[in-house]
Amino acid sequence: MKIEISVLTDNIASSRCLGEWGLSFLIEAGDEKLLFDTGRSFTALHNASIIGKNLAGLNAIILSHGHYDHTGGLGNILKQTGKIKVIGHPDIFNPKYAHRQPGTAPYYIGIPFSRPLLEKAGAEFVLTSEPYPVSGSITTTGEIPMTNSFEHTDKNLHEVIADNDYPDPLLDDLALIINSGSGLIIIAGCCHRGIVNTINHAIKLTGQNRIHAVMGGFHLYNAGEEQVGKTVEFLKETGVERVYAGHCTGFKALCALQQGLGEAFAPLSAGAIFEL
């Protein structure tokens, strides 16, 4: 099966494309044409046109979680697609906030649209905490168990439920698994629940331990040396053949991945197209 993944949004951009803090991938796998996340604003649409990609004819949109930098482009994209299945976790519409600076007010980082507005624009939501089969060879992970001691959700991220403020467990954080026939391809948004946990969950779900490629944001930009080091060692020991990281991975972690994985690693940039 031919698989082509185009980076429509990332913090870094290739020539003539626009970068922003966000992520979006166009996935063309056999007869499936999927959008994984939508970026923060209009960059996914803009960059798709720059690299000669058309978002018409999408089979589905998958949302990795409910943060604005992965969902903010959805409104504009629905204007092009019209009625379309949008797959995610039931918690994506929970009010989400960040507490970054002590003594300052939290600020909203959730989906910048209401569900009724998106449904009016054509979104047909399929929200489930379980793995969801997108096609015969593609599935979401559903909720990702946290099974190791060194990966943690970001303590600065919160949810407000019934006027009560809680640390956000990021249960809505999911990834996409493609069974390529040459190993698994795992596509992640931010890996708030950990890239190692994500890969281990994908292996358990599918019963396959050959990982052809892992791609996405690894949320290591504020991680300590222990987590970064153990992540690199896990990727090496697990034999992941290709690692493509960007967005929230962070400069230090990107350097560690490059140093530890060598030619098996490449950074993401908007406008890049990977054939896997």
Side-chain angles (χ1 to χ4, degrees), residues 184-202:
L184 302 180
I185 297 171
I186 302 170
I187 303 172
C190 268
C191 284
H192 283 287
R193 293 179 66 83
I195 184 60
V196 174
N197 286 325
T198 300
I199 293 171
N200 280 332
H201 184 53

Side-chain angles (χ1 to χ4, degrees), residues 154-219:
D154 192 329
K155 64 182 180 180
N156 295 312
L157 303 181
H158 289 242
E159 287 184 328
V160 176
I161 307 296
D163 295 325
N164 293 310
D165 189 306
Y166 302 98
D168 189 350
L170 276 302
L171 294 175
D172 52 325
D173 180 76
L174 58 80
L176 194 68
I177 307 169
I178 303 174
N179 189 341
S180 70
S182 300
L184 302 180
I185 297 171
I186 302 170
I187 303 172
C190 268
C191 284
H192 283 287
R193 293 179 66 83
I195 184 60
V196 174
N197 286 325
T198 300
I199 293 171
N200 280 332
H201 184 53
I203 292 171
K204 185 176 180 179
L205 276 178
T206 62
Q208 294 200 39
N209 57 16
R210 180 182 177 187
I211 311 298
H212 182 48
V214 178
M215 177 180 293
F218 294 177
H219 205 74

